[in-house]
Amino acid sequence: MSILVIAEHDNKSLKGATLNTVAAAAKIGGEVHLLVAGSGCGDAAAQAAKVAGVGKVLQADAPHYDAQLAENIAALIVANAGGYSHILAPASTGGKNVMPRVAALLDVAQISDIISVESADTFVRPIYAGNALATVKSADAVKVITVRTTGFDPVAAEGGNAAIESLAAGPDLALSKLLGRELTKSERPELGAAGIIVSGGRGLGSSENYHKLLEPLADKLGAALGASRAAVDAGYVPNDYQVGQTGKIVAPQVYFAIGISGAIQHLAGMKDSKIIVAINKDPEAPIFQVADYGLVGDLFQLVPELTSAM
Amino acid sequence: MGSQARLEKHKESKNSHRSIALKILVPVKRVVDYNVKVRVKADGSGVDLANVKMSMNPFDEIAVEEAVRLKEAGVATEVVAVSCGVAQCQETLRTAMAIGADRGILVETDAELQPLAVAKLLKALCDKEQPTVVICGKQAIDDDANQTGQMLAALMGWPQATFASKVALADGKATVTREIDGGLETLEMNLPAVVTTDLRLNEPRYATLPNIMKAKKKPLETVKPADLSIDVAPRLATIKVSEPAKRSAGVIVADVAQLVEKLKNEAKVI
Ligand SMILES: Cc1cc2nc3c(=O)[nH]c(=O)nc-3n(C[C@H](O)[C@H](O)[C@H](O)COP(=O)(O)OP(=O)(O)OC[C@H]3O[C@@H](n4cnc5c(N)ncnc54)[C@H](O)[C@@H]3O)c2cc1C
């Protein structure tokens, strides 16, 4: 039994989510191969070869893999799927985009967002915004899976020494093309990988307040910044800050929820955090039902106080 | 020319732009309303759906709204809503028609439908209806699968733009801005194509009473999976459904000093 893991990378380096996905593959058992598809992705492939527990790296290098377009990447995966019992990718926006396409082309179900491996064909995944956990068993010959990274501790980035095999590129299907990207630039840790997250909601009132109050606190803690959907919709911060059912799923050591009410959809994205701290002026706010430490009061007074106390 | 006549004239010239038919197909799913906190059944067989409020999946509502706006802007000529599931999905289709879809198709079945099966049903309808664009919700808030649109695109051999926050159709191409983990990206793709909606694409309108009444008279066709020759048998068996570990509420601290003290000495996380 061999397992193919689709690496997430930016050609230069491997994204952390790949390590959690390899961990899920290791739980299933069998030889793990990492596919690095990109353009000029030699550095990422070299990193992939060092990942602990990886038996082989498959590198597909071609200009038409640069933008990670779903049509081309899915076709490449399907063309190389032979011999694999499982194909895994992180449940990132990249994996969610490509993997259902792979599953449909192979005429198999996809098992989305697994948080645990029960056996080679049985997995646990959250449904209803994490209010229930379904244990599902697949009858398909190939299991196409996306992995929720918070469910699996990452394997070591170093220690392996896998061979890198180059893979023939498939044709450029030319169904779509990338016109441009607007990526959020930040010196802060990535939300998905941060040990501490400072997250703000509608209670902050404006983009200016969000930055003025939360940035100094995040700076002191070396934390990543997050937000509720209401804060994103109101334009306080870009969409990639959103934590929740339909945003990012995070599980840091500490999650500060500031001016966030604690809607089910928000809780779905952060309730597996080790420690939750809530600051809210409404003592009835549902966020206090999941918070380890709650502070009731005006955030405009409490947050600066907290920042200077750190 | 009186103002009424001018209006008619204007409508005509606007219509004449639309000599090329551009049909949009919008799949809509009937799900537990997003405000409902579901309960897991004691026997672990699933979640309790008895007497629970059902609504259109919020992402699908955004999809219907987008399609209707494209029609109102003179870009699309027809919006067809499709739902797969039990007879009550007719209500979901009526809601779509109240927002502005022109007609509805129900693929009626009591069988459990998984995303691959729905994608195959939609493919059969696409083969028949020949839409230029299919706009789906990015995920349904019950199974949280996030698969159907991508699977349909694959089965049709069409391009896809998932998690859309902006959609423009012109000159036989779609230009779509997508929400991705690092920010935003914009793709251009050939038509036909599948687009899936993210939350910020638009804010769906409330259906007005006159439009709800009008929707009752719009055509609604019902077919069965067998009529489309599609095998909808599930590929995944649900062994059990359980409740996630409960988080218990902690303590309310008196002030910032106590919070910092607890984080340092009790939780030892800072
Ligand atoms: C399909 C769907 C998907 C969704 N997905 C997500 C998702 O992924 N993530 C997400 O977050 N939401 C999501 N939502 C939205 C969710 O339902 C809530 O609307 C949203 O989380 C609310 O954000 P909020 O807590 O910032 O705002 P509010 O609910 O308005 O809460 C603001 C809080 O700030 C407090 N406050 C105000 N002023 C002060 C002050 N001066 N000091 C202290 N406290 C103050 C208030 O007491 C209140 O509790 C989704 C909704 C739908 C329908």
Side-chain angles (χ1 to χ4, degrees):
Chain A
M1 195 162 66
S2 317
I3 301 177
L4 183 64
V5 172
I6 315 304
E8 188 148 305
H9 64 90
D10 59 6
N11 293 317
K12 297 276 158 284
S13 63
L14 217 54
K15 292 266 156 69
T18 307
L19 304 177
N20 306 75
T21 309
V22 170
K27 285 234 164 111
I28 297 168
E31 180 157 320
V32 178
H33 297 173
L34 256 184
L35 171 66
V36 179
S39 175
C41 56
D43 289 349
Q47 275 189 22
K50 295 203 193 104
V51 172
V54 171
K56 185 160 71 173
V57 172
L58 306 171
Q59 182 185 352
D61 214 314
H64 59 276
Y65 296 137
D66 193 33
Q68 301 292 324
L69 297 168
E71 303 84 10
N72 284 337
I73 299 285
L76 174 73
I77 296 170
V78 170
N80 292 282
Y84 291 106
S85 58
H86 299 73
I87 306 175
L88 273 63
S92 56
T93 51
K96 287 174 177 170
N97 190 37
V98 170
M99 296 301 267
R101 219 172 153 107
V102 171
L105 293 172
L106 294 172
D107 192 25
V108 300
Q110 174 180 294
I111 309 153
S112 296
D113 249 322
I114 65 162
I115 56 167
S116 148
V117 172
E118 302 293 289
S119 71
D121 64 4
T122 306
F123 309 90
V124 180
R125 55 176 307 265
I127 53 176
Y128 292 95
N131 287 304
L133 301 177
T135 303
V136 295
K137 187 180 163 98
S138 164
D140 287 319
V142 187
K143 278 81 176 159
V144 172
I145 294 171
T146 62
V147 174
R148 181 172 287 196
T149 51
T150 55
F152 301 88
D153 289 333
V155 298
E158 306 274 340
N161 185 21
I164 301 177
E165 195 175 290
S166 107
L167 216 58
D172 180 3
L173 300 174
L175 288 167
S176 62
K177 71 173 184 218
L178 176 68
L179 297 184
R181 287 205 176 117
E182 265 177 68
L183 301 181
T184 308
K185 287 192 186 62
S186 168
E187 302 294 308
R188 296 182 196 285
E190 248 183 77
L191 257 183
I196 304 182
I197 294 175
V198 172
S199 203
R202 193 181 348 235
L204 282 147
S206 72
S207 171
E208 201 197 339
N209 291 341
Y210 179 99
H211 294 286
K212 199 176 68 195
L213 270 93
L214 301 193
E215 274 177 7
L217 179 59
D219 285 343
K220 277 218 167 158
L221 295 165
L225 284 171
S228 70
R229 174 187 169 190
V232 175
D233 283 359
Y236 303 176
V237 286
N239 61 281
D240 51 305
Y241 282 49
Q242 182 177 314
V243 171
Q245 182 184 16
T246 55
K248 295 206 169 104
I249 311 287
V250 298
Q253 289 293 304
V254 196
Y255 186 91
F256 288 88
I258 300 175
I260 291 177
S261 61
I264 311 174
Q265 294 87 3
H266 189 79
L267 300 184
M270 44 66 79
K271 69 182 166 60
D272 292 328
S273 305
K274 182 155 181 276
I275 297 288
I276 297 174
V277 177
I279 302 182
N280 198 303
K281 68 177 179 190
D282 174 10
E284 303 296 319
I287 190 74
F288 288 122
Q289 289 165 21
V290 299
D292 298 278
Y293 303 118
L295 194 49
V296 179
D298 183 8
L299 67 89
F300 292 97
Q301 182 209 323
L302 294 171
V303 175
E305 240 182 77
L306 181 61
T307 305
S308 47
M310 286 294 171
Chain B
M1 200 163 26
S3 67
Q4 186 59 39
R6 222 178 295 136
L7 203 67
E8 290 302 318
K9 185 88 192 154
H10 176 71
K11 264 195 199 154
E12 244 169 60
S13 71
K14 216 168 142 196
N15 280 335
S16 63
H17 280 243
R18 309 186 189 158
S19 47
I20 319 160
L22 194 157
K23 191 190 286 185
I24 303 181
L25 197 86
V26 187
V28 294
K29 185 175 184 183
R30 179 176 183 267
V31 298
V32 169
D33 188 84
Y34 81 95
N35 280 312
V36 173
K37 187 163 188 300
V38 296
R39 299 212 178 282
V40 172
K41 285 194 213 161
D43 66 358
S45 63
V47 299
D48 194 355
L49 296 182
N51 304 317
V52 166
K53 183 177 177 206
M54 304 294 280
S55 299
M56 189 191 299
N57 179 41
F59 290 98
D60 303 347
E61 230 178 303
I62 295 171
V64 177
E65 175 68 33
E66 193 65 16
V68 171
R69 285 187 193 185
L70 285 165
K71 189 181 169 195
E72 287 167 348
V75 175
T77 46
E78 191 185 19
V79 177
V80 183
V82 178
S83 194
C84 303
V86 295
Q88 289 93 318
C89 295
Q90 286 184 21
E91 292 160 24
T92 319
L93 288 168
R94 293 289 172 205
T95 306
M97 291 189 272
I99 296 172
D102 297 292
R103 58 189 169 93
I105 304 173
L106 170 62
V107 183
E108 192 184 335
T109 171
D110 290 333
E112 178 197 345
L113 291 177
Q114 293 180 351
L116 183 63
V118 176
K120 288 181 179 180
L121 293 172
L122 293 174
K123 177 185 188 298
L125 290 177
C126 283
D127 288 341
K128 196 165 142 227
E129 294 279 341
Q130 302 277 316
T132 306
V133 186
V134 177
I135 308 183
C136 309
K138 77 163 176 180
Q139 80 192 58
I141 60 165
D142 51 2
D143 61 16
D144 282 332
N146 197 330
Q147 302 175 7
T148 306
Q150 296 89 314
M151 286 182 155
L152 172 63
L155 297 176
M156 298 303 293
W158 291 354
Q160 69 185 49
T162 50
F163 326 144
S165 63
K166 203 169 149 202
V167 176
L169 302 177
D171 309 321
K173 303 247 183 224
T175 307
V176 181
T177 301
R178 310 178 50 228
E179 298 201 352
I180 57 171
D181 284 337
L184 297 171
E185 76 173 21
T186 303
L187 299 181
E188 183 188 87
M189 59 198 53
N190 300 342
L191 295 175
V194 176
V195 173
T196 79
T197 63
D198 217 315
L199 293 168
R200 277 163 288 276
L201 181 57
N202 62 51
E203 231 177 277
R205 71 194 69 184
Y206 287 100
T208 60
L209 192 58
N211 285 338
I212 292 171
M213 300 312 290
K214 249 198 253 164
K216 292 192 173 151
K217 298 203 187 72
K218 290 184 181 177
L220 197 166
E221 175 195 347
T222 298
V223 296
K224 303 268 177 194
D227 302 335
L228 302 170
S229 315
I230 300 296
D231 172 11
V232 296
R235 303 295 187 85
L236 298 179
T238 301
I239 309 291
K240 70 165 188 225
V241 174
S242 57
E243 201 136 349
K246 274 251 175 344
R247 247 197 121 92
S248 43
V251 293
I252 297 290
V253 292
D255 52 24
V256 166
Q258 198 189 358
L259 173 62
V260 174
E261 190 274 318
K262 294 247 185 221
L263 288 172
K264 279 204 174 118
N265 302 322
E266 192 177 86
K268 299 190 171 65
V269 285
I270 58 166

